[in-house]
Amino acid sequence: MTDDKLKTYRYFLKDSIRKTIAFQFTDQNQGVPAPPIEKPYPEGATLIDLPGPDEWHGIFQADITHAIGNRKSHRVYRDQSLSLKELAYLLWCTQGVRGKRFHGHAYRNVPSAGCRHALETYLTVFNVDDIDAGVYRYLPLSHQLVFEFKDDLLSQKMIIASLNQSYPGKSAVTFIWSAVPYRMEWRYGLAAHKVIALDAGHVCQNLYLACEAIDAGTCAIAAYDQEELDELLGLDGEEEFAIYLAPVGKVRR
């Protein structure tokens, strides 16, 4: 790798770009309305209500101290389903909305730069009680799933899109986070992109800890075939694209 390339990619990790941006000219400060905080879904789409916090009794196996102390990456999962309560809990921990919503913002259970939350959560479901296998998307504002599509070759396609790593296609469910960059660019312009990556890290760490709490496991994956995964999810690769994924399943302790 050339010195110029190293400098370019290292620059991305710094916050020096902030000094070069005239923030008064960002879309937010020019009075452009904030983009939607949740991607819309088609009229007539199939929606699935998820159990809320008062219905999660009986699913917890560990407290937060145990979860942090025992966090590790798991790539082998038992042939055991997740309950819908467990899936709902994982989704709430990673993108659940709490508190008030205002002016194109909504407080969630993970931090995000400027409360912009540029991520969407897709699920490739293989073995979850009470819902069919297929691809779903989480709707944090209503704590629901929207059914996207079914694909009989979903497991194989997930493995191919994960550069032939097998466990994303052999999990109970695989979380895939996409980025909608304009949600962050609207406020921060060219300073948006580093903080989108930081936000993805916040989300996945919450998934790790939440998995430990319900006797499940996960493994963060940043090595994947970008074009294959975007195509699988039906994303345009420009205004929205996959940024991170993590399979989840029950594990042997």
Side-chain angles (χ1 to χ4, degrees):
M1 185 180 295
T2 65
D3 286 346
D4 284 346
K5 282 189 175 179
L6 279 174
K7 287 179 181 177
T8 298
Y9 288 103
R10 288 177 178 177
Y11 183 76
F12 172 78
L13 295 173
K14 301 178 182 180
D15 203 32
S16 303
I17 195 170
R18 191 175 301 272
K19 299 173 184 177
T20 71
I21 296 169
F23 284 98
Q24 68 270 30
F25 296 120
T26 63
D27 281 0
Q28 178 186 24
N29 287 318
Q30 289 295 300
V32 177
I37 55 178
E38 178 182 272
K39 185 178 173 181
Y41 53 86
E43 186 176 351
T46 300
L47 302 179
I48 298 170
D49 294 330
L50 293 170
D54 352 348
E55 303 172 78
W56 294 339
H57 47 83
I59 69 171
F60 301 109
Q61 306 296 321
D63 62 20
I64 187 66
T65 303
H66 176 92
I68 292 173
N70 289 275
R71 187 220 60 81
K72 64 180 290 188
S73 293
H74 293 274
R75 295 173 177 82
V76 178
Y77 311 112
R78 297 165 62 186
D79 185 15
Q80 179 181 344
S81 64
L82 285 181
S83 70
L84 193 58
K85 288 181 185 179
E86 290 170 323
L87 179 60
Y89 170 67
L90 298 179
L91 288 164
W92 182 84
C93 286
T94 52
Q95 280 290 275
V97 169
R98 57 187 171 85
K100 61 182 180 179
R101 306 163 193 182
F102 61 100
H103 305 307
H105 299 74
Y107 291 123
R108 304 194 190 189
N109 291 330
V110 289
S112 174
C115 198
R116 293 310 305 142
H117 296 286
L119 304 181
E120 291 282 337
T121 305
Y122 292 84
L123 304 172
T124 53
V125 171
F126 301 111
N127 194 7
V128 175
D129 296 339
D130 303 318
I131 59 174
D132 294 333
V135 176
Y136 297 79
R137 181 166 53 88
Y138 181 48
L139 304 176
L141 296 181
S142 58
H143 193 53
Q144 293 175 303
L145 292 178
V146 58
F147 175 70
E148 296 280 342
F149 61 89
K150 182 177 181 179
D151 188 326
D152 292 337
L153 298 177
L154 185 58
S155 176
Q156 297 94 309
K157 289 181 179 180
M158 272 304 303
I159 292 170
I160 291 168
S162 303
L163 300 177
N164 293 314
Q165 298 173 94
S166 63
Y167 49 102
K170 295 183 177 180
S171 57
V173 57
T174 293
F175 283 61
I176 306 167
W177 295 287
S178 71
V180 182
Y182 181 65
R183 283 188 203 160
M184 196 69 76
E185 293 164 346
W186 172 79
R187 169 166 283 185
Y188 294 118
L190 289 176
H193 309 110
K194 173 186 172 179
V195 290
I196 292 173
L198 293 175
D199 282 6
H202 302 322
V203 170
C204 196
Q205 177 68 356
N206 266 25
L207 181 63
Y208 266 99
L209 299 182
C211 282
E212 290 293 332
I214 61 168
D215 207 25
T218 188
C219 179
I221 297 176
Y224 56 91
D225 186 316
Q226 186 72 55
E227 290 70 30
E228 286 282 350
L229 192 53
D230 287 345
E231 183 178 352
L232 174 59
L233 297 177
L235 308 181
D236 66 11
E238 293 294 335
E239 299 303 318
E240 184 182 9
F241 46 85
I243 190 172
Y244 210 10
L245 61 153
V248 173
K250 291 292 186 175
V251 295
R252 290 185 175 84
R253 299 292 179 183

